[in-house]
Amino acid sequence: MHYYCISFTHKNTDIATREKLSFSNDDKKREFLRLIHSNNKILESLLLSTCNRVEIFIFLADSEGIHEFVLNSLCLLCDVNKEELNLKADFYEDSGAIHHLFSVASSLDSLVVGETQIAGQLKDAYKFSLQEQRCGVNITRAVHYAFKCAANVRNQTEISKNPISVASVAVSKAKELINLENKTAVVIGAGEMSELACKHLINAKAKVLILNRDLEKAKKLSEQLGSNVNFESIANLKEILNTYEIFFSATNAQHAIIIDELLEEKNYTRYFFDIAVPRDIDLKTSDKIVVYAVDDLEEVVRKNLTLREHQAQIAYSIVGNMTNDFFKYLSKLATLPLVKQLRLQAKEIAHKELQKAINKGYLKSSNHQEAQKLINQVLNAFLHHPSVNLKKLSGTMQNDAVINSMRYVFDLKNENLEGLNHYKCEFSLENQNEI
């Protein structure tokens, strides 16, 4: 059994390819999970898709051929060249896969180190996989531990102090280019990223105009954000594009919605910040049309990374320790039931043999209790050292080999771990919408 992860991120994959790989609707996610589960080696799976990453996290019976199979599945569903994917993807197995998952959950692998959105996105991905019955006890354990690790990183470092997101980085870049105070900034979309952009713009003393297809949702968001926020239908997009100067777009559209044909010539510069993947904006740039996409915000991100570098080192040591702890935890889950089964099997055999002896007249029934006590004492003495040694092995490299050997030698079956809440997610999202 193996944990396995295939990862496409801002670090290894350009935005054009990430757009193709984007799983922005549930039907496409559902189809991909169905497709990869046609391989009976894949026992559990979780798909995390955000503007900066696509992570395919899998629990496997056998990893042979899985690399090829998952890439073929992506090519089939996302219309991407396989050789290109093979060159870009990062692959992780077992401890490497768990370390990567914990790093992602702790926001150490994010474009903006320390941003807090990723935890909520991972939780949503986990819940979706669970609802689709693609996720069981093994990925659940890993995700539980990932949230525990993320909490330790938050509590033991300052990496998320004054947390920032891609939306905040985009607004910071806008502030470098233009004075936002009392300016009207247009935010297209009314989802989580758009809401964050609105909050940062309000904090910069800008006025905000929200455009959205669902007017009721736009109205609700504008009322929630306050008097400096208005809303209009996205049906008025062309008119608004030719009226204002500053635009932030974060919709779930599968294709660009802001294109050259919608723009009229103006004698002032218009600034467009595309914080969506797939991209919302496809414009020819000029001295009057300036466009920033997610990957263009690297300069601000680098400044953020430099400020947080020391804290990141501390955080990575936490992730490393938590990865080791996770595998020790798994070893204990395997070792303790084995000890229990070994003792139960020995007692059952002893009880049967004692009953045979009484039935055949080798022992008197009146001696049953004394004989049972003696047998229990012998069994406890005999099993003491094996039990102690098995517990000592927990978390070591030899653990799995010894456990498998013991199961084979004594014909011990795998035991379901009663009492373990397989599906409870112990992570609570607090202060998710940071400023």
Side-chain angles (χ1 to χ4, degrees):
M1 302 295 180
H2 302 273
Y3 286 103
Y4 197 79
C5 180
I6 300 177
S7 173
F8 301 91
T9 74
H10 60 279
K11 293 179 177 179
N12 61 19
T13 309
D14 57 89
I15 192 168
T17 306
R18 295 205 310 275
E19 282 178 332
K20 293 179 182 178
L21 294 174
S22 173
F23 290 84
S24 54
N25 66 72
D26 288 350
D27 287 341
K28 191 174 179 182
K29 291 177 191 173
R30 195 173 287 114
E31 178 59 18
F32 179 74
L33 294 178
R34 186 201 63 77
L35 190 60
I36 63 172
H37 276 267
S38 65
N39 186 320
N40 58 17
K41 290 181 180 179
I42 294 179
L43 306 177
E44 301 177 34
S45 64
L46 180 150
L47 172 64
L48 174 63
S49 178
T50 75
C51 61
N52 288 320
R53 67 180 60 253
V54 172
E55 306 281 353
I56 302 153
F57 193 70
I58 304 168
F59 186 74
L60 302 160
D62 177 11
S63 62
E64 187 178 354
I66 291 300
H67 168 102
E68 192 92 1
F69 175 77
V70 174
L71 290 188
N72 284 337
S73 301
L74 280 172
C75 293
L76 183 65
L77 204 58
C78 300
D79 191 26
V80 191
N81 180 273
K82 184 181 172 184
E83 285 69 28
E84 181 184 358
L85 289 188
N86 201 32
L87 287 171
K88 294 179 185 296
D90 286 328
F91 299 89
Y92 306 93
E93 191 168 357
D94 292 329
S95 62
I98 294 297
H99 189 278
H100 180 67
L101 175 66
F102 290 4
S103 299
V104 169
S106 302
S107 186
L108 298 179
D109 196 61
S110 296
L111 177 67
V112 181
V113 175
E115 58 92 6
T116 58
Q117 277 182 296
I118 189 64
Q121 291 163 335
L122 178 59
K123 184 176 184 182
D124 289 343
Y126 167 70
K127 286 170 67 177
F128 183 82
S129 183
L130 203 57
Q131 288 162 4
E132 295 298 313
Q133 299 183 331
R134 302 303 186 186
C135 177
V137 63
N138 298 289
I139 284 183
T140 293
R141 286 170 180 158
V143 171
H144 282 188
Y145 239 83
F147 290 138
K148 184 178 177 182
C149 180
N152 286 349
V153 168
R154 285 197 309 274
N155 295 334
Q156 296 175 35
T157 73
E158 295 184 356
I159 203 159
S160 293
K161 189 176 181 181
N162 301 318
I164 59 179
S165 63
V166 172
S168 70
V169 170
V171 174
S172 293
K173 188 64 182 177
K175 285 163 68 176
E176 290 178 13
L177 300 168
I178 192 169
N179 182 7
L180 294 177
E181 191 169 348
N182 293 321
K183 284 274 189 183
T184 296
V186 179
V187 176
I188 304 156
E192 183 182 358
M193 190 74 80
S194 298
E195 182 180 344
L196 283 172
C198 290
K199 289 181 176 181
H200 290 296
L201 287 164
I202 292 166
N203 205 41
K205 300 181 180 178
K207 297 174 184 177
V208 176
L209 176 61
I210 299 171
L211 295 190
N212 199 49
R213 295 187 192 283
D214 185 342
L215 264 185
E216 192 57 38
K217 190 173 182 180
K219 180 183 178 183
K220 185 178 178 182
L221 180 57
S222 69
E223 289 173 349
Q224 176 188 324
L225 293 172
S227 58
N228 270 350
V229 182
N230 292 307
F231 66 96
E232 283 195 37
S233 169
I234 203 167
N236 301 325
L237 179 61
K238 182 172 181 177
E239 178 187 346
I240 288 166
L241 287 174
N242 294 295
T243 303
Y244 297 98
E245 300 174 48
I246 309 160
F247 304 88
F248 294 81
S249 192
T251 76
N252 285 326
Q254 294 301 297
H255 305 286
I257 59 170
I258 300 174
I259 56 177
D260 292 314
E261 288 75 8
L262 295 177
L263 297 190
E264 299 167 3
E265 276 196 42
K266 297 293 176 181
N267 60 3
Y268 55 84
T269 302
R270 281 171 283 185
Y271 298 92
F272 295 86
F273 295 87
D274 192 343
I275 50 178
V277 176
R279 284 172 288 187
D280 284 340
I281 300 169
D282 184 12
L283 296 173
K284 292 176 183 174
T285 58
S286 67
D287 59 336
K288 298 296 184 187
I289 303 292
V290 180
V291 180
Y292 288 91
V294 169
D295 289 2
D296 297 319
L297 302 171
E298 286 283 356
E299 184 182 346
V300 182
V301 171
R302 277 196 298 272
K303 290 178 183 175
N304 164 67
L305 190 60
T306 301
L307 290 171
R308 295 164 189 248
E309 189 173 348
H310 176 63
Q311 293 300 307
Q313 289 175 357
I314 299 170
Y316 270 117
S317 70
I318 295 170
V319 169
N321 290 334
M322 291 291 289
T323 300
N324 290 334
D325 288 347
F326 176 71
F327 282 98
K328 287 179 182 177
Y329 157 72
L330 292 185
S331 294
K332 285 178 183 176
L333 288 179
T335 303
L336 295 179
L338 178 65
V339 172
K340 179 182 172 184
Q341 284 181 300
L342 195 58
R343 287 178 172 274
L344 282 174
Q345 182 169 295
K347 284 183 178 179
E348 284 174 8
I349 292 170
H351 177 74
K352 286 178 183 176
E353 294 303 317
L354 176 59
Q355 198 59 50
K356 281 182 187 177
I358 291 170
N359 292 341
K360 291 181 178 180
Y362 301 153
L363 286 174
K364 294 179 182 178
S365 294
S366 58
N367 294 331
H368 182 276
Q369 282 188 326
E370 288 76 11
Q372 186 68 60
K373 284 180 184 178
L374 177 61
I375 288 171
N376 285 343
Q377 287 173 355
V378 171
L379 287 177
N380 286 335
F382 176 72
L383 294 174
H384 174 71
H385 287 298
S387 299
V388 169
N389 289 336
L390 278 171
K391 288 175 183 177
K392 282 181 182 177
L393 276 175
S394 181
T396 67
M397 294 292 288
Q398 303 100 311
N399 188 71
D400 286 349
V402 172
I403 285 176
N404 288 333
S405 298
M406 292 285 285
R407 288 197 182 282
Y408 176 77
V409 169
F410 290 99
D411 194 26
L412 300 172
K413 307 300 180 187
N414 286 318
E415 181 182 274
N416 290 325
L417 301 175
E418 294 179 5
L420 180 66
N421 184 349
H422 293 180
Y423 306 115
K424 180 182 175 187
C425 189
E426 299 170 346
F427 177 71
S428 173
L429 278 180
E430 295 178 1
N431 302 320
Q432 181 185 348
N433 295 330
E434 80 290 349
I435 294 294

